């Protein structure tokens, strides 16, 4: 089969001519505004506006959380006091009570020491009497 004869045409500058399998020629003009022969190019419609509710909600929750945190910290420091509290003053009655308590603790410590000395003495006597009694019964 022979190729169909195509009329020799001089293409316009900046255009492309395409010959299809059916023998029809299509010309495409290339430039700043491409146009296909026999068709019109329409402007692209703008994208539909996005619903920004989710973004606004996230920003609002974040800002609210930060404000609540700042308020909580403020109230906590206000209640507790940022600066260290002054050392409490001790009254005369308290100092007398502390001195009596100290004297009582010292007397208790002395008595416990006496008890432990007595315990050591009794333990030594028992161990000495036990060691002396054992050899006499062993002899035969």
């Amino acid at each position: 089969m022979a190729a169909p004869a195509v009329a020799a045409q001089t293409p316009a500058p900046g255009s492309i001519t395409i010959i299809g399998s059916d023998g029809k020629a299509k010309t495409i003009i290339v430039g700043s505004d491409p146009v296909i022969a026999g068709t019109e190019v329409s402007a692209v419609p703008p994208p539909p506006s996005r619903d920004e509710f989710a973004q606004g909600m996230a920003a609002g929750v974040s800002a609210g959380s930060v404000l609540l945190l700042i308020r909580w910290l403020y109230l906590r420091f206000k209640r507790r006091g940022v600066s260290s509290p002054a050392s409490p003053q001790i009254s005369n009655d308290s100092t007398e009570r502390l001195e009596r308590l100290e004297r009582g603790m010292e007397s208790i410590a002395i008595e416990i020491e006496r008890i432990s000395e007595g315990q050591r003495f009794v333990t030594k006597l028992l161990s000495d009497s036990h060691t002396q009694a054992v050899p006499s019964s062993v002899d035969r």
Side-chain angles (χ1 to χ4, degrees):
M1 211 166 179
V6 179
Q9 295 178 0
T10 313
S15 65
I16 300 173
T17 303
I18 301 174
I19 300 173
S21 61
D22 60 351
K24 294 184 180 177
K26 293 184 181 179
T27 304
I28 300 173
I29 301 171
V30 180
S32 63
D33 192 16
V35 176
I36 299 178
T39 63
E40 291 185 21
V41 178
S42 63
V44 178
S49 65
R50 296 183 302 165
D51 185 18
E52 297 176 355
F53 176 76
Q55 293 172 349
M57 187 67 157
V61 168
S62 299
S65 299
V66 169
L67 290 175
L68 285 175
L69 177 67
I70 290 171
R71 183 176 184 272
W72 177 75
L73 288 172
Y74 171 75
L75 291 176
R76 183 175 175 201
F77 283 121
K78 184 178 176 185
R79 249 185 272 129
R80 197 171 78 172
V82 176
S83 62
S84 62
S87 61
Q89 299 296 326
I90 299 174
S91 66
N92 285 337
D93 184 40
S94 297
T95 55
E96 291 172 4
R97 291 178 68 190
L98 287 173
E99 288 175 6
R100 285 193 308 253
L101 181 64
E102 186 178 356
R103 276 187 259 129
M105 295 287 282
E106 287 175 2
S107 64
I108 290 173
I110 290 170
E111 291 300 320
I112 289 175
E113 189 174 340
R114 286 181 185 163
I115 291 171
S116 63
E117 290 282 336
Q119 183 69 33
R120 270 189 245 128
F121 179 73
V122 169
T123 305
K124 184 177 177 187
L125 284 178
L126 288 175
S127 67
D128 287 344
S129 67
H130 183 65
T131 56
Q132 291 172 359
V134 171
S136 64
S137 65
V138 175
D139 282 339
R140 282 191 180 187

